[in-house]
Amino acid sequence: METKHDDSVIGRARVQDTPELEAYYKELENLGAGALWTVANDIEPWEPRPSSIPMLWKYDDLRSLVIKSSELVTPEQAGRRVVYLVNDKRKDVSAAVGWLYTGIQVTRPGESTPAHKHKAAALRFIMEGEGGYTVVDGNRITLEVNDFVITPNSTWHEHGVAEDGKTCIWQDGLDIPLINALEANDYAVLDGKQELTAPENFSPLVYGGVGLVPADQEWDKPYSPLFKYSWKKVYPALLEAAQVHEGSPFDGILMQYTNPATGGHVMQTMGASMQLLRAGEHTKAHKHTGSFVYQCAKGKGYSIIGGKRFDWKERDIFCVPSWVYHEHVNLSETEDACLFSFNDLPVITSLGLYQEKTHPDGYQTVE
Ligand code: GTQ
């Protein structure tokens, strides 16, 4: 059956204002009420309607200001020394896109953050440095560039850099705006450091095998037992897949980070992926529900998002709002390009809200 997107049809609100109606609306307002037909078309859009706009944050512009924060405040003073990235249309909720938060955190050699936990879930993607570590639920995990790490909701966590390391910078991704919108966030600070409950890197060493999970370990938590996904293993896996797999016409070789115990998303509210665009690849345009924050992990190229071109290279961060057409281009004719991204897909899909549409012309025209 044909569906029409026209607010003049029967079934949509189309009441003209009259002095009598306006007086009536005033009476309702005074009682904390309202007439649905005055807001119905607005609160029931024909199609998903993002309030965020596509944006790109250039690392070359931000890096010196991120470093400067480490001269201005200590992690003890700041709790978390982070420059956060905010969407022009989501300033009221501190979101980078949709209901997702992102920021760039800097930690100098010998520094560490206080341990804390919250109902918001967190993840990190390592941008630069050496000797960085995070402690998640008593597990100390060492970090290298392009590693992806999770801090599931309500797990104690703290981060630091070894005395003989190099200043570490990583991207934080959290569902803070979503959890706040649900009015369900909380926050607790630990008095002191966490006690380590497992050998260093226990989680990645025990659960990070090729589809292997230890038979003797029970895992009933609602998040991945694998806390770190090493670039050292992820990148070769993408290259291997690319040898034999065309991949998606919209995303190239797109690999989802998964919970090895279930095959599902790494956490309940946020998922993440790494995708490889072959040399010269230009993907087709599509749009779907779900909000996405990207970081270029390797190479250079551009994405056309909502008809606008955004050029990116290693460490640049950009976002694709829900239901906005997007396509990606690897500008190199010889090297592959890799895009890390995280998203709210676990929420979207578990609530039955996922939908997708391919662009009628295959590609967008740039405005
Ligand atoms: O490391 O837990 O960028 O709680 C913002 C809030 C990082 C963190 C952020 C946080 C964290």
Side-chain angles (χ1 to χ4, degrees):
M1 253 195 304
E2 272 289 295
T3 58
K4 272 202 212 153
H5 290 182
D6 176 351
D7 280 340
S8 68
V9 299
I10 300 225
R12 287 300 267 187
R14 41 184 199 148
V15 179
Q16 299 293 325
D17 275 354
T18 62
E20 193 185 10
L21 274 170
E22 273 168 36
Y24 171 71
Y25 297 152
K26 197 79 216 144
E27 275 190 279
L28 285 176
E29 194 185 334
N30 291 339
L31 296 174
L36 172 62
W37 61 86
T38 62
V39 296
N41 294 355
D42 192 42
I43 65 173
E44 296 183 298
W46 291 108
E47 290 196 11
R49 191 177 52 196
S51 54
S52 309
I53 54 168
M55 282 183 67
L56 175 117
W57 294 270
K58 288 219 158 283
Y59 194 52
D60 280 349
D61 295 341
L62 280 166
R63 187 177 182 279
S64 61
L65 290 172
V66 170
I67 297 284
K68 192 169 177 182
S69 74
S70 68
E71 291 149 19
L72 298 173
V73 293
T74 65
E76 287 76 25
Q77 291 169 324
R80 292 291 181 270
R81 194 170 51 209
V82 175
V83 169
Y84 73 104
L85 310 182
V86 61
N87 197 283
D88 278 347
K89 301 286 183 183
R90 302 294 283 162
K91 288 182 182 165
D92 51 337
V93 292
S94 303
V97 62
W99 297 102
L100 297 174
Y101 158 100
T102 200
I104 303 176
Q105 180 161 180
V106 57
T107 312
R108 297 204 286 199
E111 286 181 341
S112 64
T113 64
H116 74 191
K117 66 176 184 177
H118 31 67
K119 281 288 179 293
L123 54 81
R124 285 158 239 294
F125 191 72
I126 314 307
M127 302 172 80
E128 57 175 274
E130 270 172 37
Y133 65 88
T134 185
V135 185
V136 181
D137 247 355
N139 287 263
R140 193 176 192 276
I141 290 166
T142 52
L143 308 172
E144 287 175 62
V145 170
N146 281 349
D147 285 354
F148 165 61
V149 203
I150 60 167
T151 309
N153 95 24
S154 293
T155 56
W156 289 108
H157 55 284
E158 61 199 80
H159 329 292
V161 175
E163 291 279 357
D164 60 353
K166 290 200 179 118
T167 295
C168 284
I169 301 181
W170 54 73
Q171 181 183 6
D172 294 326
L174 290 98
D175 57 6
I176 287 174
L178 174 68
I179 305 307
N180 286 341
L182 296 171
E183 302 179 353
N185 210 359
D186 68 5
Y187 194 94
V189 176
L190 191 68
D191 188 14
K193 301 278 172 203
Q194 292 174 73
E195 235 173 79
L196 300 185
T197 55
E200 182 165 276
N201 286 321
F202 180 86
S203 161
L205 292 176
V206 170
Y207 285 95
V210 276
L212 298 171
V213 285
D216 63 320
Q217 295 273 312
E218 277 187 27
W219 189 262
D220 55 7
K221 303 203 168 114
Y223 51 82
S224 173
L226 180 56
F227 294 165
K228 177 177 83 169
Y229 298 75
S230 302
W231 175 245
K232 260 194 243 148
K233 291 186 175 181
V234 168
Y235 182 56
L238 288 162
L239 289 178
E240 285 192 2
Q243 287 173 21
V244 291
H245 185 42
E246 270 297 300
S248 150
F250 307 103
D251 283 302
I253 304 290
L254 176 67
M255 292 286 196
Q256 198 164 290
Y257 294 100
T258 55
N259 174 338
T262 64
H265 289 291
V266 291
M267 294 188 284
Q268 289 167 293
T269 52
M270 288 189 293
S273 304
M274 179 65 77
Q275 75 193 90
L276 180 145
L277 303 169
R278 294 180 170 92
E281 184 160 2
H282 184 157
T283 67
K284 287 191 164 170
H286 71 163
K287 63 180 181 182
H288 47 73
T289 44
S291 299
F292 289 70
V293 179
Y294 288 80
Q295 182 188 141
C296 174
K298 182 175 183 290
K300 62 177 194 306
Y302 65 91
S303 299
I304 304 169
I305 311 166
K308 229 176 122 184
R309 173 171 164 160
F310 295 88
D311 281 78
W312 41 255
K313 64 182 172 76
E314 226 169 274
R315 306 299 153 222
D316 287 343
I317 293 170
F318 62 95
C319 69
V320 176
S322 182
W323 210 243
V324 171
Y325 280 117
H326 54 279
E327 62 199 83
H328 308 295
V329 181
N330 178 354
L331 271 176
S332 169
E333 288 305 324
T334 51
E335 300 281 316
D336 55 55
C338 292
L339 295 175
F340 165 78
S341 60
F342 70 93
N343 58 63
D344 56 5
L345 280 181
V347 178
I348 293 287
T349 54
S350 63
L351 299 180
L353 304 177
Y354 187 78
Q355 50 179 320
E356 187 176 353
K357 196 170 181 175
T358 62
H359 194 283
D361 305 325
Y363 303 93
Q364 302 162 82
T365 36
V366 180
E367 278 165 15

